[in-house]
Amino acid sequence: QVQLVESGGGLVQAGGSLGLSCAASGRTLSSYTVAWFRQAPGKEREFVARINWNSGRTYYTDSVKGRFTISRDMAKNTVHLQMNSLKPEDTAVYYCGASGIDYSTSAASYTYWGQGTQVTVSS
């Protein structure tokens, strides 16, 4: 079992930055891919970024490339999402999830989820 807890959300003006954290407990994240998803009101959960725990390989959805950076702290069993140049359309609840499938961008492939953290970007 893997337990995930997100933190770091808040209110920020457009163009600003926020850093999110996803702290994992339970079994090791080795062999997992950890991803960030977001869900805006009235919309489906959307893939944002993923990282392979073992290799560090990352992948981003086009809308956040060059603005967001996903990383891992192996000693702390934590995944981070650094969000720069934020836009109002980034407003959503951000969730982290863990999957045994390396390449997936589908929420259905992620077995473990955190409770989410709200990110609000004002214009």
mmCIF file of all heavy atoms in Angstrom, residues 59-84:
data_model
loop_
_atom_site.group_PDB
_atom_site.id
_atom_site.type_symbol
_atom_site.label_atom_id
_atom_site.label_comp_id
_atom_site.label_asym_id
_atom_site.label_seq_id
_atom_site.Cartn_x
_atom_site.Cartn_y
_atom_site.Cartn_z
ATOM 1 N N TYR A 59 7.791 13.421 -18.070
ATOM 2 C CA TYR A 59 6.940 13.691 -19.218
ATOM 3 C C TYR A 59 5.893 14.706 -18.801
ATOM 4 O O TYR A 59 5.348 14.627 -17.702
ATOM 5 C CB TYR A 59 6.273 12.405 -19.706
ATOM 6 C CG TYR A 59 5.400 12.588 -20.918
ATOM 7 C CD1 TYR A 59 5.956 12.712 -22.185
ATOM 8 C CD2 TYR A 59 4.013 12.643 -20.802
ATOM 9 C CE1 TYR A 59 5.161 12.888 -23.294
ATOM 10 C CE2 TYR A 59 3.207 12.818 -21.909
ATOM 11 C CZ TYR A 59 3.789 12.939 -23.156
ATOM 12 O OH TYR A 59 2.998 13.113 -24.262
ATOM 13 N N TYR A 60 5.598 15.660 -19.703
ATOM 14 C CA TYR A 60 4.675 16.738 -19.401
ATOM 15 C C TYR A 60 3.611 16.873 -20.474
ATOM 16 O O TYR A 60 3.876 16.642 -21.661
ATOM 17 C CB TYR A 60 5.406 18.076 -19.312
ATOM 18 C CG TYR A 60 6.491 18.131 -18.270
ATOM 19 C CD1 TYR A 60 7.789 17.739 -18.567
ATOM 20 C CD2 TYR A 60 6.217 18.592 -16.988
ATOM 21 C CE1 TYR A 60 8.789 17.797 -17.612
ATOM 22 C CE2 TYR A 60 7.208 18.659 -16.027
ATOM 23 C CZ TYR A 60 8.496 18.257 -16.340
ATOM 24 O OH TYR A 60 9.488 18.328 -15.392
ATOM 25 N N THR A 61 2.440 17.290 -20.063
ATOM 26 C CA THR A 61 1.442 17.664 -21.044
ATOM 27 C C THR A 61 1.869 18.982 -21.698
ATOM 28 O O THR A 61 2.579 19.792 -21.099
ATOM 29 C CB THR A 61 0.052 17.789 -20.392
ATOM 30 O OG1 THR A 61 -0.951 17.860 -21.405
ATOM 31 C CG2 THR A 61 -0.040 19.013 -19.503
ATOM 32 N N ASP A 62 1.460 19.188 -22.943
ATOM 33 C CA ASP A 62 1.953 20.324 -23.719
ATOM 34 C C ASP A 62 1.688 21.669 -23.045
ATOM 35 O O ASP A 62 2.509 22.585 -23.135
ATOM 36 C CB ASP A 62 1.327 20.327 -25.110
ATOM 37 C CG ASP A 62 1.900 19.262 -26.018
ATOM 38 O OD1 ASP A 62 2.972 18.712 -25.706
ATOM 39 O OD2 ASP A 62 1.276 18.986 -27.063
ATOM 40 N N SER A 63 0.568 21.806 -22.386
ATOM 41 C CA SER A 63 0.178 23.096 -21.838
ATOM 42 C C SER A 63 1.059 23.570 -20.689
ATOM 43 O O SER A 63 1.022 24.752 -20.334
ATOM 44 C CB SER A 63 -1.285 23.057 -21.385
ATOM 45 O OG SER A 63 -1.474 22.152 -20.321
ATOM 46 N N VAL A 64 1.858 22.687 -20.103
ATOM 47 C CA VAL A 64 2.706 23.087 -18.981
ATOM 48 C C VAL A 64 4.192 22.979 -19.292
ATOM 49 O O VAL A 64 5.015 23.355 -18.444
ATOM 50 C CB VAL A 64 2.386 22.280 -17.703
ATOM 51 C CG1 VAL A 64 0.898 22.343 -17.393
ATOM 52 C CG2 VAL A 64 2.852 20.838 -17.825
ATOM 53 N N LYS A 65 4.548 22.513 -20.474
ATOM 54 C CA LYS A 65 5.960 22.384 -20.832
ATOM 55 C C LYS A 65 6.653 23.739 -20.772
ATOM 56 O O LYS A 65 6.141 24.734 -21.271
ATOM 57 C CB LYS A 65 6.104 21.791 -22.232
ATOM 58 C CG LYS A 65 5.792 20.315 -22.313
ATOM 59 C CD LYS A 65 5.964 19.793 -23.736
ATOM 60 C CE LYS A 65 5.666 18.311 -23.825
ATOM 61 N NZ LYS A 65 5.763 17.810 -25.226
ATOM 62 N N GLY A 66 7.814 23.761 -20.153
ATOM 63 C CA GLY A 66 8.561 24.992 -20.003
ATOM 64 C C GLY A 66 8.165 25.816 -18.806
ATOM 65 O O GLY A 66 8.869 26.771 -18.455
ATOM 66 N N ARG A 67 7.048 25.486 -18.172
ATOM 67 C CA ARG A 67 6.572 26.223 -17.006
ATOM 68 C C ARG A 67 6.626 25.388 -15.728
ATOM 69 O O ARG A 67 6.919 25.915 -14.655
ATOM 70 C CB ARG A 67 5.139 26.711 -17.217
ATOM 71 C CG ARG A 67 4.981 27.646 -18.406
ATOM 72 C CD ARG A 67 3.599 28.297 -18.434
ATOM 73 N NE ARG A 67 2.527 27.306 -18.567
ATOM 74 C CZ ARG A 67 1.541 27.136 -17.696
ATOM 75 N NH1 ARG A 67 1.489 27.892 -16.598
ATOM 76 N NH2 ARG A 67 0.605 26.234 -17.912
ATOM 77 N N PHE A 68 6.306 24.107 -15.830
ATOM 78 C CA PHE A 68 6.262 23.216 -14.669
ATOM 79 C C PHE A 68 7.449 22.263 -14.703
ATOM 80 O O PHE A 68 7.900 21.846 -15.774
ATOM 81 C CB PHE A 68 4.983 22.388 -14.657
ATOM 82 C CG PHE A 68 3.714 23.154 -14.412
ATOM 83 C CD1 PHE A 68 3.683 24.540 -14.403
ATOM 84 C CD2 PHE A 68 2.536 22.460 -14.192
ATOM 85 C CE1 PHE A 68 2.505 25.232 -14.186
ATOM 86 C CE2 PHE A 68 1.351 23.134 -13.970
ATOM 87 C CZ PHE A 68 1.327 24.521 -13.963
ATOM 88 N N THR A 69 7.927 21.894 -13.530
ATOM 89 C CA THR A 69 8.997 20.914 -13.404
ATOM 90 C C THR A 69 8.632 19.898 -12.336
ATOM 91 O O THR A 69 8.349 20.272 -11.197
ATOM 92 C CB THR A 69 10.331 21.583 -13.039
ATOM 93 O OG1 THR A 69 10.675 22.560 -14.023
ATOM 94 C CG2 THR A 69 11.441 20.537 -12.972
ATOM 95 N N ILE A 70 8.640 18.629 -12.706
ATOM 96 C CA ILE A 70 8.404 17.563 -11.746
ATOM 97 C C ILE A 70 9.751 16.966 -11.346
ATOM 98 O O ILE A 70 10.646 16.807 -12.183
ATOM 99 C CB ILE A 70 7.449 16.485 -12.312
ATOM 100 C CG1 ILE A 70 7.049 15.488 -11.224
ATOM 101 C CG2 ILE A 70 8.048 15.786 -13.520
ATOM 102 C CD1 ILE A 70 5.918 14.550 -11.642
ATOM 103 N N SER A 71 9.905 16.667 -10.076
ATOM 104 C CA SER A 71 11.145 16.111 -9.585
ATOM 105 C C SER A 71 10.867 15.205 -8.402
ATOM 106 O O SER A 71 9.764 15.199 -7.852
ATOM 107 C CB SER A 71 12.135 17.213 -9.189
ATOM 108 O OG SER A 71 11.613 18.004 -8.141
ATOM 109 N N ARG A 72 11.864 14.440 -7.997
ATOM 110 C CA ARG A 72 11.712 13.549 -6.859
ATOM 111 C C ARG A 72 12.849 13.744 -5.879
ATOM 112 O O ARG A 72 13.976 14.063 -6.266
ATOM 113 C CB ARG A 72 11.653 12.081 -7.314
ATOM 114 C CG ARG A 72 13.000 11.492 -7.757
ATOM 115 C CD ARG A 72 12.798 10.315 -8.670
ATOM 116 N NE ARG A 72 13.973 9.471 -8.856
ATOM 117 C CZ ARG A 72 15.007 9.767 -9.627
ATOM 118 N NH1 ARG A 72 15.063 10.932 -10.263
ATOM 119 N NH2 ARG A 72 15.998 8.889 -9.775
ATOM 120 N N ASP A 73 12.538 13.565 -4.614
ATOM 121 C CA ASP A 73 13.526 13.544 -3.548
ATOM 122 C C ASP A 73 13.503 12.124 -2.998
ATOM 123 O O ASP A 73 12.612 11.770 -2.223
ATOM 124 C CB ASP A 73 13.191 14.572 -2.473
ATOM 125 C CG ASP A 73 14.263 14.683 -1.412
ATOM 126 O OD1 ASP A 73 14.958 13.686 -1.148
ATOM 127 O OD2 ASP A 73 14.404 15.779 -0.834
ATOM 128 N N MET A 74 14.452 11.322 -3.405
ATOM 129 C CA MET A 74 14.422 9.912 -3.064
ATOM 130 C C MET A 74 14.603 9.680 -1.565
ATOM 131 O O MET A 74 14.000 8.762 -1.003
ATOM 132 C CB MET A 74 15.487 9.154 -3.862
ATOM 133 C CG MET A 74 15.298 9.289 -5.374
ATOM 134 S SD MET A 74 16.469 8.311 -6.349
ATOM 135 C CE MET A 74 15.759 6.680 -6.173
ATOM 136 N N ALA A 75 15.401 10.503 -0.920
ATOM 137 C CA ALA A 75 15.626 10.346 0.508
ATOM 138 C C ALA A 75 14.367 10.621 1.313
ATOM 139 O O ALA A 75 14.142 10.003 2.356
ATOM 140 C CB ALA A 75 16.755 11.255 0.967
ATOM 141 N N LYS A 76 13.542 11.552 0.840
ATOM 142 C CA LYS A 76 12.329 11.932 1.553
ATOM 143 C C LYS A 76 11.079 11.252 1.011
ATOM 144 O O LYS A 76 9.980 11.506 1.511
ATOM 145 C CB LYS A 76 12.148 13.443 1.509
ATOM 146 C CG LYS A 76 13.241 14.214 2.230
ATOM 147 C CD LYS A 76 12.996 15.715 2.171
ATOM 148 C CE LYS A 76 14.071 16.482 2.915
ATOM 149 N NZ LYS A 76 13.842 17.945 2.851
ATOM 150 N N ASN A 77 11.242 10.416 -0.017
ATOM 151 C CA ASN A 77 10.107 9.722 -0.623
ATOM 152 C C ASN A 77 9.018 10.714 -1.037
ATOM 153 O O ASN A 77 7.825 10.515 -0.776
ATOM 154 C CB ASN A 77 9.537 8.675 0.336
ATOM 155 C CG ASN A 77 9.284 7.338 -0.332
ATOM 156 O OD1 ASN A 77 10.034 6.910 -1.200
ATOM 157 N ND2 ASN A 77 8.215 6.673 0.074
ATOM 158 N N THR A 78 9.440 11.763 -1.706
ATOM 159 C CA THR A 78 8.556 12.871 -2.039
ATOM 160 C C THR A 78 8.735 13.273 -3.497
ATOM 161 O O THR A 78 9.857 13.288 -4.017
ATOM 162 C CB THR A 78 8.840 14.077 -1.132
ATOM 163 O OG1 THR A 78 8.612 13.703 0.231
ATOM 164 C CG2 THR A 78 7.933 15.249 -1.469
ATOM 165 N N VAL A 79 7.634 13.612 -4.147
ATOM 166 C CA VAL A 79 7.639 14.148 -5.498
ATOM 167 C C VAL A 79 7.182 15.593 -5.434
ATOM 168 O O VAL A 79 6.238 15.928 -4.711
ATOM 169 C CB VAL A 79 6.744 13.322 -6.431
ATOM 170 C CG1 VAL A 79 6.594 14.007 -7.787
ATOM 171 C CG2 VAL A 79 7.330 11.928 -6.614
ATOM 172 N N HIS A 80 7.853 16.445 -6.197
ATOM 173 C CA HIS A 80 7.549 17.870 -6.210
ATOM 174 C C HIS A 80 7.068 18.296 -7.588
ATOM 175 O O HIS A 80 7.448 17.721 -8.607
ATOM 176 C CB HIS A 80 8.781 18.689 -5.833
ATOM 177 C CG HIS A 80 9.333 18.377 -4.490
ATOM 178 N ND1 HIS A 80 8.750 18.839 -3.328
ATOM 179 C CD2 HIS A 80 10.405 17.639 -4.108
ATOM 180 C CE1 HIS A 80 9.449 18.405 -2.293
ATOM 181 N NE2 HIS A 80 10.457 17.676 -2.734
ATOM 182 N N LEU A 81 6.249 19.315 -7.601
ATOM 183 C CA LEU A 81 5.851 19.966 -8.837
ATOM 184 C C LEU A 81 6.069 21.460 -8.663
ATOM 185 O O LEU A 81 5.324 22.116 -7.931
ATOM 186 C CB LEU A 81 4.392 19.677 -9.190
ATOM 187 C CG LEU A 81 3.923 20.238 -10.539
ATOM 188 C CD1 LEU A 81 4.606 19.492 -11.690
ATOM 189 C CD2 LEU A 81 2.408 20.145 -10.676
ATOM 190 N N GLN A 82 7.093 21.979 -9.311
ATOM 191 C CA GLN A 82 7.358 23.408 -9.286
ATOM 192 C C GLN A 82 6.624 24.049 -10.446
ATOM 193 O O GLN A 82 6.850 23.691 -11.605
ATOM 194 C CB GLN A 82 8.858 23.685 -9.383
ATOM 195 C CG GLN A 82 9.221 25.162 -9.390
ATOM 196 C CD GLN A 82 8.807 25.860 -8.118
ATOM 197 O OE1 GLN A 82 8.997 25.322 -7.033
ATOM 198 N NE2 GLN A 82 8.226 27.041 -8.240
ATOM 199 N N MET A 83 5.748 24.985 -10.147
ATOM 200 C CA MET A 83 4.900 25.616 -11.149
ATOM 201 C C MET A 83 5.268 27.089 -11.250
ATOM 202 O O MET A 83 5.108 27.848 -10.285
ATOM 203 C CB MET A 83 3.424 25.459 -10.787
ATOM 204 C CG MET A 83 3.006 24.014 -10.559
ATOM 205 S SD MET A 83 1.218 23.833 -10.275
ATOM 206 C CE MET A 83 1.066 24.724 -8.723
ATOM 207 N N ASN A 84 5.760 27.484 -12.408
ATOM 208 C CA ASN A 84 6.128 28.870 -12.673
ATOM 209 C C ASN A 84 5.239 29.442 -13.771
ATOM 210 O O ASN A 84 4.592 28.714 -14.512
ATOM 211 C CB ASN A 84 7.595 28.963 -13.093
ATOM 212 C CG ASN A 84 8.548 28.466 -12.043
ATOM 213 O OD1 ASN A 84 8.323 28.636 -10.843
ATOM 214 N ND2 ASN A 84 9.645 27.844 -12.477
#
